[in-house]
Amino acid sequence: MKKSTLFDIISPIMIGPSSSHTAGAVRLGILAKNIYKNKPKKVIFKLYNSYAHTGKGHGTEKGLLAGVLGLSVDDRRIKDIFESDLAKSIEYEFEYADNFKRHPNAVDITFLGDINMVVSGDSVGAGEIAIRRINDFNVKLTGKYNTILIVYKDMPGMVSQVSSILQHNNINIASLICDRNAKGQQASMIISIDGNINPDIVELIERIPEVYFVSYIEKLEN
């Protein structure tokens, strides 16, 4: 019979000694990967506060990298992720900082590639997470809903055009958050929905003039 170790925790089902530092880190990595969609050339993880100071002992770095590489919270490969072929397929590095304005368990995940993107989030406890910013836009993504992320030119009628497409396809909006850099500049729309959408609907949104980027983010598994 296999002996239990510090890396074997039953509730919640995960690999690692801490739900916020390990399971939360994996979920942050997964959600950031799902937002980015592309294959990055390099990923930079900047850990803040408690994550920066105690992350090594709690497997935070391993969890973040494993999530970005697509592993689930209960995957036993997490504890040896740095030695895995998956980790060798990508360039990555870790940075550390203190910032009293940030959550104790905060991280910026910077994806560098054909598209550059910074996804900032917090592990808020018991494996729960929240994405707070994507590049310069304020958001709130918890991974509990299927979500559409849209970056577009700030101009009248954009929300109406998107909501009309969803209404026509009988898709109910659970929440909608908009933000912008400045009037008439880039803006973002975060739409959490009930149920699923098919790729054709995403394509319809992409065809709206002055829409720059669309990402459909599936909710995280419990």
Side-chain angles (χ1 to χ4, degrees):
M1 182 175 177
K2 184 181 179 294
K3 206 171 176 182
S4 293
T5 72
L6 195 59
F7 283 93
D8 299 320
I9 285 191
I10 295 174
S11 182
I13 298 173
M14 65 180 195
I15 301 298
S18 167
S19 60
S20 61
H21 282 65
T22 315
V26 176
R27 289 167 66 83
L28 281 168
I30 294 171
L31 194 51
K33 167 184 173 289
N34 292 346
I35 291 167
Y36 183 63
K37 293 292 184 187
N38 301 275
K39 181 171 177 57
K41 295 176 182 175
K42 183 176 181 178
V43 183
I44 302 171
F45 302 92
K46 188 169 185 177
L47 286 68
Y48 293 89
N49 307 325
S50 178
Y51 255 13
H53 292 286
T54 65
K56 279 193 193 307
H58 287 147
T60 301
E61 295 165 339
K62 293 179 179 181
L64 289 168
L65 179 60
V68 164
L69 292 172
L71 302 188
S72 61
V73 295
D74 59 351
D75 196 310
R76 293 187 176 275
R77 290 176 292 175
I78 292 173
K79 63 180 180 178
D80 299 314
I81 190 65
F82 294 143
E83 290 75 40
S84 70
D85 290 338
L86 275 175
K88 293 172 185 175
S89 70
I90 189 172
E91 185 180 354
Y92 62 89
E93 66 181 63
F94 293 93
E95 299 176 352
Y96 311 91
D98 287 309
N99 186 336
F100 72 92
K101 295 182 179 179
R102 298 293 297 270
H103 189 278
N105 303 325
V107 62
D108 296 334
I109 303 175
T110 301
F111 296 95
L112 301 175
D114 294 335
I115 296 174
N116 296 335
M117 181 181 289
V118 182
V119 180
S120 302
D122 307 329
S123 179
V124 298
E128 298 293 317
I129 63 167
I131 300 297
R132 306 294 190 186
R133 287 180 70 83
I134 300 173
N135 290 339
D136 294 328
F137 300 112
N138 294 313
V139 302
K140 186 179 179 183
L141 288 172
T142 63
K144 294 180 179 179
Y145 289 91
N146 292 326
T147 302
I148 309 165
L149 164 65
I150 307 166
V151 178
Y152 59 96
K153 182 177 180 180
D154 177 50
M155 56 190 293
M158 294 300 284
V159 173
S160 174
Q161 289 187 72
V162 174
S163 60
S164 293
I165 290 173
L166 298 180
Q167 180 184 10
H168 181 74
N169 287 276
N170 199 34
I171 295 169
N172 189 52
I173 296 174
S175 68
L176 190 154
I177 301 172
C178 295
D179 191 24
R180 67 183 184 184
N181 290 333
K183 185 177 180 180
Q185 301 301 310
Q186 279 195 0
S188 70
M189 204 183 305
I190 304 289
I191 307 173
S192 297
I193 61 171
D194 295 325
N196 300 297
I197 64 172
N198 63 51
D200 292 340
I201 299 172
V202 175
E203 288 182 15
L204 286 175
I205 296 172
E206 288 175 332
R207 290 178 196 158
I208 297 174
E210 305 298 345
V211 165
Y212 306 134
F213 177 82
V214 181
S215 179
Y216 177 54
I217 307 153
E218 295 184 350
K219 65 181 180 180
L220 296 176
E221 296 179 2
N222 294 323

